[in-house]
Amino acid sequence: MSESVRESMEFDVVIVGGGPAGLAAAIRLRQLSPETSVCLIEKGSEIGAHIVSGAVIEPRALTELLPDWQERGAPLNTPVTSEEMLYLTETRSLRVPMLDRLMPHMANHGNYIVSLGEVCRWLATQAEELGVEIYPGFAGAEVLIENNRVVGVATGDMGITKDGAQGPNYQPGMELRGRYTLFAEGCRGSLTKQVMAHYDLRKGVDPQTYGLGIKEVWEIPAENHRPGLVQHSFGWPLDDKTYGGAWLYHFGENLVSYGFVVGLDYANTWLSPFEEMQRIKLHPAFRKHLEGGRRVSYGARALSEGGLQSIPRLTFPGGALIGDSAGFLNMPKIKGTHTAMKSGMLAAEAVVEAIKTDHVEPSSFTQRVKKSWLWEELHAARNVRPGFAHFGMRGGAVYAALDAMLLRGRAPWTLHFRHQDNETLKAAALCKKPNYPKPDGTLTFDRLSSVFLSATNHEEDQPVHLRLRNPSLWKTVNWDVFRAPEARYCPAGVYEVVDEATAPALHINAQNCVHCKTCDIKDPAQNIDWTVPEGAGGPNYPAGM
Amino acid sequence: MKIVVPVKRVVDYNIKPRVKADGSGVETTGVKMSMNPFDEIAVEEAVRLKEKGVASEVVVVSIGVQQAQDTLRTAMAMGADRAILVLSEESPEPLAVAKVLKAIHEKEQPGLFILGKQAIDDDMNATGQMLAGLLGWGQGTFAGKIEVADGRVLVTREIDGGTEEVSLALPAVVTADLRLNEPRYASLPNIMKARKKPMETLNAEDLGVDMARRLTVVSVAEPEQRKAGVKVGSVAELVEKLRNEAKVI
Amino acid sequence: MTALVLLDHEEGRIRKSALSAVTAASQFGDVHVLVAGDATVAQAASAISGVSKVLHAADAQYAHELAEPLAALIVSLAGGYDQIVAAAGAVGKNVLPRAAALLDVQPIPEVVRIVDAETFVRPIYAGNALATVKSSDAKKVLTVRGSAFDAAPAEGGSAPVETVAPAANPNVSEFVAVHLSESERPELESARVVVSGGRGLQSEEKFHILEPLADKLGAAIGASRAAVDSGFVPNEFQVGQTGKIVAPELYLAFGISGAIQHLAGMKDSRVIVAVNKDPEAPIFQVADYGIEGDLFEIVPALTAALA
């Protein structure tokens, strides 16, 4: 229906997603080949609107991309000056000694604490100066495949009403046709999912395993601010089987980035990542940093933790997967920005070569990755995250230290992931309910007042973008067996059980969605399909995120 | 007839404004900026008048910092024909803006100015009235409906408790209220085309306008948080309190 | 110092907000008021407590408080005044900025507090922040929020009424008609009272329980997003961050939990009443008066009590 009326535009390269990977690819393309036309679309209302990250970044890839980034005013203003890794018990914290030897991947000397959203906004200005056309507010909704080649994407229609009809402000989507298309949607991209399925890109690799990161930005009194301080923790309140920990970084103008990551392979259906994140702030090791401050922003995003073993085939006819769409995050380092950027740059090189040699598939991308420091780094780190999955938090930490000190990442074996994250939940009856404290309104908060700070908004009159493939499964699986885990793992209060006592039913508050993608990953029956809503919907993260 | 529509770049209406810790203002750095929603309505109305054949050209003007060009591009993607960016400090006062627009009038000779009734940042609700005053033109503020015919514009105005119709001789100034129309989306093809539409850049000083502020901000604070009141035990008690204590019924 | 207040009126009655403007202006010193049109209003104005002189613009061109002639008149009178004040209603907001431009003054709209003769507090960003501003203009032109100042007593004064000479009419505008809303149900955004329902109303049918109460109070009906999402009422009823922002004199919330998105749309209401069976509902944290209990008993009881 809409195909017949939608306009189309031709580019050499179409990039889906304006994060570090997509922007680095765009910049590299124009640097290498200024005549190549590059179009980048971003579903957020502006570049940076959907970017959430800690973030301590390694400037390695940025220096390769734009060696004079300092002169160009890149917003990398807070170098890491001191760091601590804490093991928490309920009331105490133990500092891990000799951090740089036991956990060398955690050494952050030479790195910067940044707002990744700000870095992306800056990268976008660099890209635009090089002639990249950037269109925020438009979501890639459909992969265009012709003769088994990806030939671009189509943006979603705008102005479709709740019941699927064309409203008064209906605007058909547009076809952005590219000789090559790079998918840079970040973790669990909705188009990447389709491409992976169409070309069976995950064949022969480990399942991807994910984490959910939830973040707050605080503004604290100047006298308590220690710019450059990096603090990580593990241990309490998570049990030994659950992978995760918290971070706290002092940066910028009296800002603190506080957040928490939990592995989505957790088993306890009663676990609520949001409430874990809230209660860690009550621990003395965190409380002392935040007290007297005010929370200014909130966000959440899933991330790929699988590393090397989980990286799919990277190319297909007409394009490639880059950044966290492919899963290039280095989990032991908890960093993915430098790897995302590097992968984008390498893909750009491969695409330029493919254009020159008229290859359908930019297949040299894979070789370029394997010959780069990116691969070396992920290879050395490959056993750390699965070590935690196999040996638990404490055993995993010991394994990671051994791996680092004795084997230096060169273990002759590779540990594997055995399960998809949606397969790990245990039935509600078999799990112990954590006892979460009620929000106090000063340090800890509820979901909705948090979502409010993410400035999330969706046009209300549009179809629900979170779809149940089989609505009847919710009652028999999600409710009867697991007691609606989505109501707990969703950090935005999208999933709500109504009439719990009489006739439990699921209510989906799609407008609250912060686009973290956790539901698409963790739903036990893989029954929730996260599709892209109308462009410009979702969070509007401000500077600092 | 040429229509000029001034547009302002403001903090996006979805963003909850945050007062800076030092009380010097509201945080705008790194915050998403968009076209003032009332200005979108004004642009939409002008474009519709052009589509109806009433107007021949729609020119959009923004007065402010360089980034206001994004706002002008959006207006052109909605259908405006060309844009003028007048560089000045961020968020100049209505009096200065009205004077700049008067200078634009001398240059462009439009038959109609359509403005948003107010900007959602400083909530001044004054520029349209002031411009009309400076030009000696009629003003149709808070317009819910406009009809142009026979050298006049009939404006249905939103007033307290209803509407009022006024007839203005053209040229005139109209300010748009919420119900005037529902603005269209700037579609991607139109955004692409808007990149090629002409944009002229001027300096406020070159137009001979004194941009000095008459109002200086002493401080900006967050309003006091509402405090919980009392719980009452019965309907009778509630009615008594509403009548005699709060005096609202 | 003497301030001139433009006293707006409707159907022969002085608006309450205009009386508040008199109170605000009296903080500067002596108060004169200007009445355009209606002679009975000019007479009534002379009785306002605190007014020392009434200027009556009797000429026909002022009959409908049109901005163009009225601003010209104010400019012709402005020489004798240090402040020109009006209520921030449809008339004041229409007329005063135009007069200010003609006087080369930057107006100060929607003042909620007068700190001193130069310094004023006014809301910006839809009330999300309060700005204190200092004006360097010799003459101040301001509109004031009625809700921020008590109304001056309508009785007790005996100011002389003086008819003022008309100013030259710019003759660019004509009054055509006025249509005052006759609907019994006022519009949500301008209603004095709003009766709002949430998911606690349970269904579309049961939502109607609010109507007799709204009729009694002459109130508009609103709803939370949860109620809209559940299909009890259409979208245009929604009060909240993504719906309508309301600030009535009285807001009654029934079965609304008080999610922050909803509070963002009604927190500026003067008096908030909450009825909810959940004692922990966040709405109670902002309500002036709360009742814990079953709304299906309380709403009919309240409706009956207002008889």
Side-chain angles (χ1 to χ4, degrees), chain A residues 438 448-449 452 457 460 496 498 507 509 511-512, chain C residues 199 225 229 235 238 241-242 259-261 264 280:
Chain A
K438 273 174 60 175
L448 289 181
S449 54
F452 187 66
N457 189 41
E460 306 239 326
E496 191 180 352
V498 293
H507 185 84
N509 300 299
Q511 302 95 326
N512 286 0
Chain C
R199 195 182 280 151
R225 187 165 88 191
D229 277 357
N235 252 333
Q238 187 181 324
Q241 186 193 10
T242 54
I260 190 153
Q261 287 82 352
E280 302 287 331

Side-chain angles (χ1 to χ4, degrees), chain A residues 514-533:
Chain A
V514 295
H515 297 203
C516 77
K517 317 278 178 80
T518 302
C519 51
D520 197 89
I521 295 163
K522 189 63 177 169
D523 184 61
Q526 292 277 281
N527 193 29
I528 300 177
D529 187 19
W530 193 99
T531 65
V532 72

Side-chain angles (χ1 to χ4, degrees), chain C residues 11 51 58-59 77 85 118 122 136 144-146 204 207 213 218 241 244 260 269 274-275 286 300 307:
Chain C
E11 295 181 322
V51 171
D59 196 83
L77 298 169
V85 184
E118 262 81 52
R122 58 181 302 269
S136 62
V144 300
R145 279 229 177 142
E204 191 180 348
F207 205 94
L213 176 61
Q241 186 193 10
K244 297 192 164 105
I260 190 153
S269 306
V275 175
V286 299

Side-chain angles (χ1 to χ4, degrees), chain C residues 90-160:
Chain C
V91 174
K93 292 199 282 195
N94 191 30
V95 177
L96 254 57
R98 183 178 179 105
L102 295 169
L103 294 165
D104 194 32
V105 168
Q106 169 58 47
I108 310 146
E110 308 254 0
V111 169
V112 293
R113 195 157 73 84
I114 297 169
V115 180
D116 58 42
E118 262 81 52
T119 318
F120 309 89
V121 180
R122 58 181 302 269
I124 54 174
Y125 287 91
N128 281 298
L130 287 172
T132 304
V133 295
K134 203 172 161 77
S135 164
S136 62
D137 283 316
K139 208 179 287 294
K140 316 295 184 215
V141 177
L142 56 147
T143 60
V144 300
R145 279 229 177 142
S147 56
F149 299 90
D150 290 333
E155 307 291 332
S158 57

Side-chain angles (χ1 to χ4, degrees), chain A residues 250-261:
Chain A
H250 287 237
F251 75 111
E253 297 267 321
N254 299 322
L255 297 179
V256 169
S257 162
Y258 163 74
F260 168 78
V261 177

Side-chain angles (χ1 to χ4, degrees), chain A residues 239 267-271 426-436:
Chain A
D239 64 32
N268 186 343
T269 188
W270 297 111
L271 184 132
K426 292 204 174 88
L430 305 174
C431 301
K432 195 167 163 273
K433 272 191 190 180
N435 190 12
Y436 294 120

Side-chain angles (χ1 to χ4, degrees), chain A residues 379-410:
Chain A
H379 188 259
R382 75 192 183 285
N383 284 330
V384 175
R385 176 65 180 90
F388 284 95
H390 285 253
F391 311 125
M393 248 347 240
R394 283 191 294 268
V398 171
Y399 177 84
L402 287 175
D403 189 83
M405 291 179 68
L406 301 176
L407 305 165
R408 295 175 191 277
R410 294 191 205 115

